[in-house]
Amino acid sequence: FFFFKQKTAYEMQRGLVGSEMCIRDSNMRTLIIWGLLITSILAVKTFHMNPRHNRTTEEVKKNTIFHLSFPSNPTTGFRWELNSSVVYCNYTSTDKIGEFFPPDQTHPGSAGRQVFMFIANNIGEEQLRFLYRRPWTTENTKIMDVLIIISAP
């Protein structure tokens, strides 16, 4: 049997003694609560795109954050790219390929999701074109046009 001596407050790190441990832990809880609160206020909408249909229309309210989510498998070399200028929405990334989320590990080789995030900042209609292609070629395998209709809040 091994017995471990419990450390006293003097043996612990200076920043982690007594009530300071509770303060450190409560900071993390505060961040989580604020994150959940902000997310619920902003009400992010996610639209799952179906590449079998080359056109779709989605409606959002002004000042809404929305995601366009496409099935994607970058192991094939193909990826979705935003191929249009954005006027009524703010695209939140510096590149035009969005963010990739890998598939569930229970289905190896299956497609993940490629997500593009926008903020609808003006009332109007925004025509977005996405191309599914390999970056080193000019050939497009799929083209998807998404019409975003932005209305008053």
Side-chain angles (χ1 to χ4, degrees), residues 87-105:
V87 178
Y88 292 98
C89 302
N90 279 343
Y91 179 53
T92 61
S93 182
T94 55
D95 59 27
K96 296 211 173 214
I97 59 167
E99 184 174 352
F100 179 73
F101 294 91
D104 182 0
Q105 294 300 328

Side-chain angles (χ1 to χ4, degrees), residues 10-153:
Y10 295 107
E11 294 172 293
M12 293 179 141
Q13 293 178 6
R14 182 176 163 205
L16 301 177
V17 291
S19 64
E20 291 179 3
M21 281 192 264
C22 295
I23 292 170
R24 181 208 59 199
D25 292 341
S26 68
N27 287 340
M28 182 57 72
R29 278 188 294 250
T30 302
L31 286 172
I32 291 170
I33 290 169
W34 273 107
L36 292 172
L37 181 63
I38 289 170
T39 302
S40 66
I41 289 171
L42 294 176
V44 175
K45 292 184 82 169
T46 300
F47 301 106
H48 294 281
M49 301 292 107
N50 183 348
R52 289 186 210 146
H53 306 107
N54 60 354
R55 291 188 184 286
T56 188
T57 301
E58 303 296 348
E59 296 182 19
V60 296
K61 302 283 186 197
K62 182 180 175 188
N63 299 323
T64 300
I65 296 173
F66 64 96
H67 297 163
L68 298 178
S69 176
F70 296 85
S72 180
N73 191 345
T75 59
T76 62
F78 287 92
R79 65 182 186 192
W80 288 98
E81 293 179 10
L82 175 62
N83 190 15
S84 56
S85 58
V86 182
V87 178
Y88 292 98
C89 302
N90 279 343
Y91 179 53
T92 61
S93 182
T94 55
D95 59 27
K96 296 211 173 214
I97 59 167
E99 184 174 352
F100 179 73
F101 294 91
D104 182 0
Q105 294 300 328
T106 58
H107 296 66
S110 61
R113 303 298 298 177
Q114 194 172 342
V115 177
F116 297 81
M117 187 169 94
F118 299 87
I119 301 171
N121 57 351
N122 290 310
I123 296 172
E125 293 184 0
E126 184 81 81
Q127 182 68 49
L128 303 173
R129 174 164 277 192
F130 294 88
L131 306 176
Y132 192 61
R133 66 185 195 96
R134 290 182 170 129
W136 58 86
T137 68
T138 56
E139 132 189 13
N140 299 324
T141 301
K142 296 176 189 167
I143 297 174
M144 178 98 184
D145 290 318
V146 181
L147 176 63
I148 304 295
I149 300 173
I150 306 166
S151 58

